[in-house]
Structures are given as C-alpha cells and as structure tokens.
Amino acid sequence: MDFPDLQDVLEQIADEVGAMPGRGRSADYIPALAGVDPHRFGMAFADVDGRVHGVGEWQVPFSAQSITKVFTLALVLAQDGAVLWESVGREPSGNPFNSLVQLEYENGIPRNPFINAGALVVTDRLQSLTGDASEDLLAFLRAESGNPDLGFDLEVAASETAHGDRNAALAHFMASYGNIRHPVPTLLDHYFRQCSIEMSCADLALATGFLARHGLLADGSRLLSRSEAKQINAVMMTCGTYDAAGDFAYRVGLPGKSGVGGGIVAVVPGRGTLCVWSPGLDERGNSVAGVAALDRFTTLTGLSVF
C-alpha cells in the first residue's frame, strides 16, 4: 500500500469513528486524566523508514501510561537478556491489570510484564541496570521518536502517586517475596513518572518502530535480536490489552499495547507501526474508539499477522 492510499484509509477510519455513538469514559480513577474529553481522536502510521501519515489529533501529546511498559521491557531485555523471565511470566492474566489475588497464588511472580505488578518488576530491574530508570526511558523515547521535547507530566505523576495505594500494595507484596530490590517509594516514583510521559500518536508510532524492524533502532543499530523482538511482539499479542487480549487479537490481529490515557500502539512486523488515541475507555481499560479504528485498519488494508 502506498502512502496516498494509506492516507485515504486513515481519513475514512476517522470519519467512521466520528460517527460512533458510544465512546466510553476517560480514566476517572486518575483525577488528572478524568477531565479529558473522551471524544478526542488521533491516529498515525509510521513505516519502517520513518515516514509518518496521520489523521485527526495525531500530533497532540497525551499521557502514554501503560504503553511505556513496552519500552522498559525492551530496554531490560537488551541489557539483561532472558534473566528477566525468572522474575516475571509471559502468560495472559485473565484478571484486572492491578489484581492482587493472582500474585498471592503465584508467590509474588507476576503473570506477565504488562500488568501493573509485572511492569513494576521490569522497572525495578531497569533501575538496577541504569541507576535512573525513568530518565533512561525518557532518553530512549526522545531518540527513537526524534522529539527532544518529550517530558514527564508531573501533574499526572503526582495524581497517580496520591492515588497509588494499589500499586504500592503490589510492590510491597512482591518485595516480601524478594522480587523487588529497591525501596518501594523509589520504585513507585520512577514507575509513575514513566507512565506520565506525554507523547503524540506520531511520537509513539515512531518510537515503536524497532519492533517492526525486528529489533533495529531508527539509526540502523540493533537494540534487540530478531528473536527478542519476536518475543516482545508475542507478549503484546497475548497480554498487551489486559484481560481483553483475546478479543483484541480476534478483532485487530496485530501485536498491541494499550494505556489508560486512551492510546494503543500496534505493530505490523516488517511494515510499520500504528498508534491511535481516543481517551474514552471500556470497562477493561482499553480505548473504545481506538480498538474500533485498529479493527477497521486491518480490515481495510489486510495488514495483519494472520
């Protein structure tokens, strides 16, 4: 598909999404996100050479939230290899992303790196490897997106800190099993800043490009082996949209990762990456319009892993 055709597809999707009657509700459990209009919409596609097309508010920054878990996972795998999988699993959770019950059954080992408990383990490991997990992540995202102005939204980070009792409980519980190595307040500070990073659809589509390029960064250097890139894409497919991963795979057919800021990134291996943003969420924390838009994209283009 050439770019004029792709632009037409994106514009058609935007028109269809604009006519959707039900768009969900913004993440009201994070006060700093509760007031964002759930009807906002942007979508971007970045090919493996870094060319970007977009529609709607595709250049408007929003809170990336759990989408950032993809990048911390990649940075840890790049430096630490398969050792990480001794501390976090690779299986779908089947439970809410902040469940405590599952952790107790599984002796403090999170089911996968994309639920909150698993992401805390990954961030804790990145802190050990770099000494400053959130700043290391931000530097990576600035480099891969080509946007040096990316930064933390400290209001969002403070809002999450003030309402972060469940995440603190997860971290303390895992620490009791020896699966968290840094002081919990230090870990939570990095985790909440990580989630607060503001990026646009264009920024996120470009930053995720290394997964479409089988581990190669934007400058052509290698971050991950082909096998490691495949592993991240596989975990995104099975775990990237919490306990709705099966439905997402059924409808969209691409590895994807959502965030409660309303964003979703999706990877077309060998071709490019997508990011869609619409803040209205369903009951599982995924963007209603975002899933619908990606569903239409793979239907209209035939770009799917299946």
Side-chain angles (χ1 to χ4, degrees), residues 227-253:
S227 179
E228 289 167 338
K230 177 200 70 176
Q231 291 163 7
I232 293 179
N233 280 327
V235 177
M236 288 173 68
M237 176 67 82
T238 57
C239 309
T241 48
Y242 312 118
D243 53 335
D247 187 62
F248 186 83
Y250 176 84
R251 293 182 60 186
V252 177

Side-chain angles (χ1 to χ4, degrees), residues 118-131:
L120 286 164
V121 169
V122 177
T123 299
D124 182 67
R125 186 58 190 151
L126 187 60
Q127 180 68 9
S128 294
L129 292 167
T130 67

Side-chain angles (χ1 to χ4, degrees), residues 1 36 48 52 54 64 80 101-102 126 128-129 131 161 195 266 287-288 301:
M1 172 172 290
V36 182
V48 290
V52 186
D80 217 19
V101 174
Q102 197 167 58
L126 187 60
S128 294
L129 292 167
T161 299
C195 290
S287 170
V288 174
T301 64

Side-chain angles (χ1 to χ4, degrees), residues 166-283:
R166 178 67 66 93
N167 285 310
L170 291 168
H172 281 295
F173 188 83
M174 291 186 293
S176 74
Y177 281 93
N179 205 19
I180 294 294
R181 291 169 174 77
H182 294 90
V184 168
T186 300
L187 170 59
L188 292 176
D189 179 57
H190 284 281
Y191 179 71
F192 291 139
R193 280 194 287 156
Q194 164 190 324
C195 290
S196 79
I197 294 174
E198 282 198 316
M199 302 178 72
S200 68
C201 291
D203 294 328
L204 278 162
L206 286 167
T208 315
F210 68 96
L211 291 175
R213 293 187 293 267
H214 309 294
L216 293 179
L217 297 175
D219 64 5
S221 63
R222 182 166 291 282
L223 174 70
L224 302 171
S225 68
R226 287 183 69 96
S227 179
E228 289 167 338
K230 177 200 70 176
Q231 291 163 7
I232 293 179
N233 280 327
V235 177
M236 288 173 68
M237 176 67 82
T238 57
C239 309
T241 48
Y242 312 118
D243 53 335
D247 187 62
F248 186 83
Y250 176 84
R251 293 182 60 186
V252 177
L254 293 172
K257 182 70 195 84
S258 62
V260 296
I264 307 174
V265 294
V267 180
V268 187
R271 300 294 294 271
T273 46
L274 290 148
C275 181
V276 61
W277 171 59
S278 188
L281 309 178
D282 62 21
E283 67 279 2

